[in-house]
Amino acid sequence: MEKKTGTWAVKVGLAQMLKGGVIMDVTNAEQAKIAEDAGACAVMALERVPADIRKDGGVARMSDPQIILDIMDAVTIPVMAKARIGHFVEAQLLEALGVDYVDESEVLTPADEENHIDKNQFNVPFVCGCRNLGEALRRISEGAAMIRTKGEAGTGDVVEAVRHARSVLGEIRRLQNMRPEELYHTAKELQAPYELVREVAETGKLPVVNFAAGGIATPADAALMMQLGVEGVFVGSGIFKSSDPAKRAKAIVMATTHFNDPKILADVSRGLGEPMSGIAVRTMAEAEQLAVRGW
Amino acid sequence: MKIGVLALQGAFREHVEMLRGMNVDAIEVRLPEQLIEVEGLIIPGGESTTIGKIATQYGLIEPIREMVAQGKPVWGTCAGMIVLAKDVGMRQPLVGVMDVTVKRNAFGRQVDSFETDLNIPAIQNGDPAPFHAIFIRAPFIESVGEGVQVLAQLENGTIVAARQGNLLVTSFHPELTRDARFHEFFLKSLTVKE
């Protein structure tokens, strides 16, 4: 019987398998091994973590394929990699390399300030960032098979991750209380396709898996996002910019599983050393914020 | 009967929802004490290294082995198949109770993930409708030991589902479909009769 690859079911299916897990940013094979040994459910292969992208300035692009291939060789868990918003050729390269998921990411400098990648054209699945429900549904209509709230990457400040998760999940709850005829106008307000708006109103959830990202630096941060209702977390700079990455990585994995058990959370949070120092998002100029990228 | 779904990481909620839709009392299991009250266990898809590490950290490996020894039904889907296998060709924490050699990521990377229809006589009971199987970075069974019954194969002979007494493993994900026949098979056929 016929085998079908690159279908919506297998794209969304991989994200289903990542749920309840931690996806960690890594910049080389050694860090990838540390992440896998700590229990990461996937790694994001990068040249620089967001905190360094922020510090170095300039244009941030897709990583050198050699770095991505080295990381793919080092671990058995799925490997994701980032393409610039709208840069469909970077995405083609990543698909050709065989990465398991492409993150069309605001952490890199956007290549197109109007159009995102037409993700339906690819066999490799995509994850995209969002700040609110409308943005999430626009990305899903373009073919994103997984969503992550953006937060503010490279800050170690969880406040934006909380804001974006509350926004997405709150808007879903609002849709659930609407009368059917109100959904048409709401779709217009959200700038999202009506069919997806109606589906969310009926099911009470996004049609794809929803993780949190951007500013998660401690086990308690991860558990906070899980208790708010996301299905897993991305941790970028928070691990490898801390004083004891292996220990912190493992603690964040345990906290993501046992997010509802304060005793375990207290236990795993002990003696982790210094977290990344971070930047309070409140003190940043809007031009320095990455989350506003994406349309 | 009460069935536990190991809820350390992965697609555990889909199994819980499938069971509850069949009026089965299903609970999420994260700690060893929660295993005492269940009469069967499903180890879901997810990342087998992650599930194995968290299970080891919280002392779940031995209690699951004991459940298996007591004859309670235990089913592993995808990562769960890896966790139950005795041999996966690499070192990682496993329950390791089923006489099968499993190859991880056996079909390739995510771009090679696929869906297909399978004929599985054990669950079809003469029903002509094939079972729609979704394979995600899936493992397969390279070889089976004595006493292991092969339940499903791809057309080229690759083994993708098997049973040994009260143990069941599938490379694919019945919980991602709306077809409850595998869950019914697990509930009805694996319980050891007194």
Side-chain angles (χ1 to χ4, degrees), chain A residues 1 7 19 76 100 257, chain B residues 8 14 109 115 137 155:
Chain A
M1 290 185 215
T7 62
K19 285 192 300 187
T76 60
D100 297 296
T257 292
Chain B
L8 303 178
E14 286 70 16
R109 304 196 68 96
E115 42 187 319
R137 283 174 49 94
E155 275 172 352

Side-chain angles (χ1 to χ4, degrees), chain B residues 11-26:
Chain B
F12 49 85
R13 193 177 311 147
E14 286 70 16
H15 276 297
V16 169
E17 284 169 6
M18 185 74 102
L19 291 168
R20 287 184 183 157
M22 301 164 70
N23 291 319
V24 173
D25 188 6

Side-chain angles (χ1 to χ4, degrees), chain A residues 259-281:
Chain A
F259 66 93
N260 256 333
D261 191 328
K263 275 191 186 151
I264 290 182
L265 294 175
D267 183 51
V268 302
S269 299
R270 286 180 305 154
L272 298 182
E274 285 300 306
M276 72 178 284
S277 65
I279 316 163
V281 175

Side-chain angles (χ1 to χ4, degrees), chain A residues 10-268:
Chain A
V10 300
K11 288 176 173 177
V12 173
L14 178 55
Q16 305 274 31
M17 298 309 136
L18 300 173
K19 285 192 300 187
V22 183
I23 300 169
M24 301 182 190
D25 279 3
V26 297
T27 58
N28 56 46
E30 187 195 352
Q31 287 185 356
K33 279 305 291 176
I34 291 171
E36 184 174 56
D37 288 343
C41 68
V43 291
M44 179 74 71
L46 287 164
E47 234 169 71
R48 293 173 290 172
V49 294
D52 288 332
I53 290 175
R54 207 174 262 299
K55 199 169 71 190
D56 297 349
V59 176
R61 309 177 179 91
M62 184 191 91
S63 300
D64 183 329
Q66 192 57 51
I67 291 176
I68 297 167
L69 289 170
D70 290 346
I71 290 168
M72 285 166 60
D73 279 344
V75 294
T76 60
I77 57 179
V79 176
M80 302 184 166
K82 289 183 192 288
R84 281 179 267 178
I85 289 173
H87 205 315
F88 50 86
V89 174
E90 284 187 350
Q92 290 165 6
L93 263 66
L94 293 173
E95 182 174 60
L97 292 174
V99 304
D100 297 296
Y101 242 92
V102 175
D103 182 4
E104 187 184 19
S105 177
E106 71 285 357
V107 168
L108 306 182
T109 310
D112 189 323
E113 295 197 334
E114 283 172 355
N115 306 292
H116 282 249
I117 297 169
D118 181 3
K119 294 165 276 287
N120 289 310
Q121 303 304 317
F122 287 78
N123 275 329
V124 67
F126 283 73
V127 54
C128 285
C130 72
R131 285 164 296 168
N132 52 52
L133 182 60
E135 203 173 358
L137 296 181
R138 287 195 292 280
R139 297 296 86 78
I140 293 166
S141 77
E142 294 156 2
M146 179 178 182
I147 287 293
R148 55 174 176 77
T149 47
K150 285 178 177 171
E152 190 54 40
T155 60
D157 185 350
V158 80
V159 66
E160 293 301 304
V162 169
R163 188 190 319 279
H164 300 156
R166 280 199 186 276
S167 171
V168 171
L169 299 165
E171 286 177 61
I172 292 173
R173 287 190 294 270
R174 194 168 68 91
L175 287 189
Q176 284 182 281
N177 285 323
M178 283 185 184
R179 291 166 55 94
E181 69 272 19
E182 293 166 351
L183 295 173
Y184 294 94
H185 177 68
T186 304
K188 193 173 72 179
E189 277 185 342
L190 290 172
Q191 299 177 47
Y194 166 74
E195 290 301 327
L196 285 174
V197 171
R198 195 188 61 185
E199 183 181 342
V200 171
E202 282 171 2
T203 61
K205 59 188 177 67
L206 291 177
V208 302
V209 169
N210 178 26
F211 271 44
I216 295 161
T218 68
D221 288 349
L224 172 66
M225 299 315 299
M226 294 295 288
Q227 286 197 26
L228 282 173
V230 303
E231 298 177 286
V233 296
F234 285 81
V235 184
S237 319
I239 289 170
F240 288 100
K241 287 289 170 188
S242 72
S243 66
D244 189 344
K247 200 168 177 189
R248 182 166 295 266
K250 189 174 173 191
I252 292 175
V253 169
M254 299 306 161
T256 304
T257 292
H258 295 288
F259 66 93
N260 256 333
D261 191 328
K263 275 191 186 151
I264 290 182
L265 294 175
D267 183 51
V268 302

Side-chain angles (χ1 to χ4, degrees), chain B residues 49-104:
Chain B
T49 51
T50 305
I51 294 170
K53 273 164 197 168
I54 304 172
T56 303
Q57 179 79 20
Y58 288 94
L60 282 150
I61 300 282
E62 267 315 312
I64 295 173
R65 286 182 185 148
E66 279 165 33
M67 270 189 83
V68 172
Q70 287 163 9
K72 291 180 180 168
V74 178
W75 174 17
T77 52
C78 194
M81 170 197 259
I82 296 165
V83 170
L84 287 175
K86 278 191 178 164
D87 182 0
V88 300
M90 59 182 81
R91 279 188 52 170
Q92 65 181 85
L94 301 170
V95 174
V97 288
M98 188 159 170
D99 292 313
V100 289
T101 301
V102 166
K103 183 175 162 65
R104 289 187 54 194

